[in-house]
Amino acid sequence: MNTPAPTERPAANLSLRWKALAALSLVLVLVNASLAVLAYWQLKHQFQAQQQALRERQSAQFMAMIQDRYEQMGRLANVMRQLTPDHQDGDPSAELRDLLDANGVMLTLDWDVLSVHWLNEGGQADLLWPDGSEPLPEGLLAKARATPDEPVQALGCASECRQYAVQPQILDGRDGPRTGALILSRSLADAVLAFHALTGAEVAI
């Protein structure tokens, strides 16, 4: 009587199970890796979006601060003109210089005003205070001459970055009203430092 030879089926079944487990493990590894990459890119995109929103918010805050400084300069220019003696036959630039020689230190210390300029009716600079101050940028002068009845606000960076505010003025004259413009400049560095102290953000001009 012949005894049947044992079959290899259990070993084959075991081998198939291991292969299936290995394949399943590989699939799980790939799925987990894909999920990790997806989560990384989502976090990166979220971080970039938050940083962009923060930069836009800080930029808006800085521009609001700059605009507020322009408005302060315009109001200060009007107050200065009201404090200047208004003689119908007088020279506005000379009268303004007398006021600045007497009170200009206060403008520098309290308002950080670096220079004061007076443009006459012809758009020429009759006053530069204090003596030796940086002259007005040509682009600012051209814009002020082109729109003599409108305030002008501008930034100028020569030896340093400054804010310039041009405030038109109407003077009483013996032969009728005369026009001119009072121009103030302030350092932009103070605004940048104040903004950095407030927000911790760096500002590039």
Side-chain angles (χ1 to χ4, degrees), residues 2-146:
N2 294 329
T3 303
T7 62
E8 301 293 334
R9 189 170 299 172
N13 291 339
L14 185 61
S15 178
L16 289 174
R17 289 175 183 173
W18 279 110
K19 289 180 180 179
L21 287 174
L24 180 59
S25 298
L26 180 60
V27 170
L28 291 175
V29 169
L30 293 176
V31 169
N32 288 334
S34 299
L35 291 175
V37 171
L38 180 61
Y40 167 77
W41 284 109
Q42 286 179 336
L43 288 174
K44 183 178 180 180
H45 177 73
Q46 183 179 4
F47 174 76
Q48 291 175 339
Q50 290 175 344
Q51 290 297 105
Q52 180 64 26
L54 177 61
R55 285 192 294 269
E56 291 177 356
R57 185 167 62 252
Q58 290 176 339
S59 177
Q61 289 173 342
F62 181 70
M63 293 309 298
M65 176 183 289
I66 294 300
Q67 185 59 38
D68 182 65
R69 284 167 58 91
Y70 276 130
E71 293 173 1
Q72 290 177 9
M73 295 166 73
R75 291 193 296 269
L76 181 58
N78 290 333
V79 170
M80 288 175 58
R81 186 66 196 95
Q82 292 172 4
L83 294 176
T84 304
D86 192 5
H87 301 141
Q88 291 184 345
D89 296 326
D91 180 2
S93 62
E95 295 167 353
L96 186 58
R97 179 175 289 279
D98 291 340
L99 175 68
L100 291 169
D101 288 341
N103 304 286
V105 174
M106 181 181 65
L107 289 177
T108 302
L109 294 178
D110 294 345
W111 294 91
D112 188 37
V113 173
L114 296 181
S115 64
V116 179
H117 312 256
W118 174 260
L119 296 187
N120 61 24
E121 290 182 287
Q124 302 301 314
D126 278 351
L127 171 68
L128 174 61
W129 180 92
D131 294 331
S133 297
E134 188 174 297
L136 293 170
E138 287 300 323
L140 175 69
L141 283 172
K143 192 171 182 180
R145 290 164 181 162

Side-chain angles (χ1 to χ4, degrees), residues 148-167:
D149 298 328
E150 298 178 7
V152 175
Q153 301 169 349
L155 294 178
C157 294
S159 61
E160 63 176 322
C161 287
R162 296 186 180 190
Q163 287 182 262
Y164 292 91
V166 182
Q167 195 69 19

